């Protein structure tokens, strides 16, 4: 019954090509949401203080860990999932998307949502939204390991690695950062091609407008809208004092963090 309702909804509004923003928590996605919102890019109506699309939050809480327990990765195909998990994942996403897009009118030319944990279910989203694009925000994992925001390790470390999560220690956080971002990058580059976009938080802070507009133009958004979003980015994105906070910890501790994520740090352009 739900599928029939969802198909009928599709007839009135194209919900197959959203722009998603995702990251490990604390990467700065709030700033990206604000930049899109200032340019009248539809980013939802039921949001939390950080601009996360809350229509997806109960679904993400329910489905991410079952998927991770079966795949141990964010880079997976649907055939890897058990029949029950796959059915629940697909059914739940369609229901959440229907709720989210209830306020989306046919006149909305550009739309999407920001929820950092969207990156855990990209194969599910792509199956329902084959024209989707994904904007992947990456921040230096050593700074992330020292952040107060450890929601994703708290919720998903044990399911991803099959090991107990023993508290908010930086070595656990950077391990999840390295695995999650690397696996999402592998999936995005392979499955989305030019519809996968990656921005480093540090680059965004250094030149907000230029980085945002250039990235979106490459995705195919018309320059006038991309430049409006860029102007919004210039207005709201500032470089926080927490950039490179990892350099303020003892050298031995910084070296230990670097070694735990060296491959991922180098891949994303961070110097060891």
């Amino acid at each position: 019954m739900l599928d029939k309702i969802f198909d009928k909804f599709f007839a009135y509004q194209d919900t197959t090509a959203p722009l998603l923003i995702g990251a490990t928590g604390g990467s700065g996605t709030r700033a990206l949401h604000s930049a899109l919102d200032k340019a009248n890019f539809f980013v939802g109506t039921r949001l939390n203080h950080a601009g996360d699309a809350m229509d997806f939050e109960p679904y993400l809480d329910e489905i991410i860990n079952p998927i991770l327990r079966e795949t141990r990765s964010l880079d997976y195909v649907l055939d890897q999932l058990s029949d029950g998990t796959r059915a629940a994942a697909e059914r739940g996403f369609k229901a959440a998307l229907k709720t989210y897009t209830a306020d989306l009118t046919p006149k909305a030319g550009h739309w999407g949502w920001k929820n950092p944990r969207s990156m855990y279910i990209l194969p599910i989203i792509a199956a329902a939204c084959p024209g989707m694009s994904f904007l992947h925000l990456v921040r230096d994992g050593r700074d992330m390991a020292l952040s107060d925001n450890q929601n994703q390790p708290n919720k998903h470390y044990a399911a991803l690695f099959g090991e107990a999560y023993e508290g908010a220690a930086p070595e656990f956080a950077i391990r999840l950062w390295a695995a999650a971002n690397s696996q999402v990058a592998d999936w995005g580059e392979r499955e989305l091609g030019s519809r996968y976009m990656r921005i480093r938080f540090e680059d965004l802070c250094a030149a907000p407008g230029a980085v945002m507009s250039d990235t979106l133009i490459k995705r195919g958004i018309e320059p006038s809208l991309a430049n409006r979003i860029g102007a919004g980015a210039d207005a709201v994105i500032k470089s926080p004092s927490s950039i490179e906070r990892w350099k303020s910890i003892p050298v031995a501790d910084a070296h230990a963090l670097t070694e735990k994520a060296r491959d991922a740090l180098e891949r994303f352009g961070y110097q060891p």
Side-chain angles (χ1 to χ4, degrees), residues 1-16:
M1 181 64 178
L2 180 60
D3 287 342
K4 292 181 179 179
I5 295 174
F6 193 69
D7 290 342
K8 184 177 180 181
F9 176 71
F10 262 37
Y12 294 98
Q13 173 62 50
D14 179 11
T15 58
T16 63

Side-chain angles (χ1 to χ4, degrees), residues 35-235:
L36 292 172
D37 187 42
K38 278 186 172 293
N40 296 319
F41 195 108
F42 181 83
V43 285
T45 55
R46 289 165 290 277
L47 311 171
N48 68 2
H49 68 283
D52 294 344
M54 297 308 289
D55 291 322
F56 296 98
E57 199 66 14
Y59 166 71
L60 295 172
D61 282 338
E62 176 184 352
I63 205 63
I64 288 176
N65 282 348
I67 289 174
L68 292 181
R69 291 188 191 106
E70 294 184 7
T71 65
R72 302 295 188 204
S73 178
L74 283 70
D75 180 10
Y76 55 89
V77 297
L78 300 189
D79 287 345
Q80 288 178 253
L81 303 178
S82 65
D83 290 345
T85 298
R86 178 172 179 172
E90 293 180 323
R91 181 175 61 249
F93 177 71
K94 286 184 177 181
L97 181 62
K98 181 177 184 292
T99 300
Y100 179 77
T101 53
D103 300 322
L104 177 63
T105 68
K107 294 181 180 180
H110 298 283
W111 68 282
W113 66 88
K114 192 274 275 192
N115 190 305
R117 292 192 296 160
S118 294
M119 71 181 203
Y120 286 80
I121 59 160
L122 293 180
I124 304 296
I125 299 172
C129 304
M132 65 164 281
S133 297
F134 182 63
L135 180 52
H136 181 192
L137 187 64
V138 178
R139 183 173 178 178
D140 191 318
R142 294 161 294 192
D143 282 345
M144 299 293 293
L146 301 174
S147 170
D148 291 334
N149 184 345
Q150 298 300 329
N151 290 332
Q152 287 187 26
N154 282 329
K155 290 184 175 183
H156 306 308
Y157 183 95
L160 178 59
F161 296 112
E163 301 174 6
Y165 178 66
E166 300 177 1
E171 58 264 30
F172 290 103
I174 201 165
R175 185 183 181 197
L176 184 137
W177 174 89
N181 283 297
S182 296
Q183 291 160 9
V184 163
D186 288 342
W187 185 90
E189 290 169 359
R190 185 183 66 248
E191 300 296 333
L192 297 181
S194 63
R195 289 183 288 116
Y196 169 73
M197 297 158 287
R198 185 165 65 237
I199 294 177
R200 297 196 323 165
F201 178 71
E202 295 80 4
D203 296 335
L204 185 66
C205 290
V211 169
M212 277 297 292
S213 58
D214 289 351
T215 298
L216 294 172
I217 288 171
K218 289 177 182 177
R219 184 233 174 182
I221 290 180
E222 62 266 22
S224 60
L225 175 60
N227 289 332
R228 289 203 306 274
I229 295 171
D234 275 331

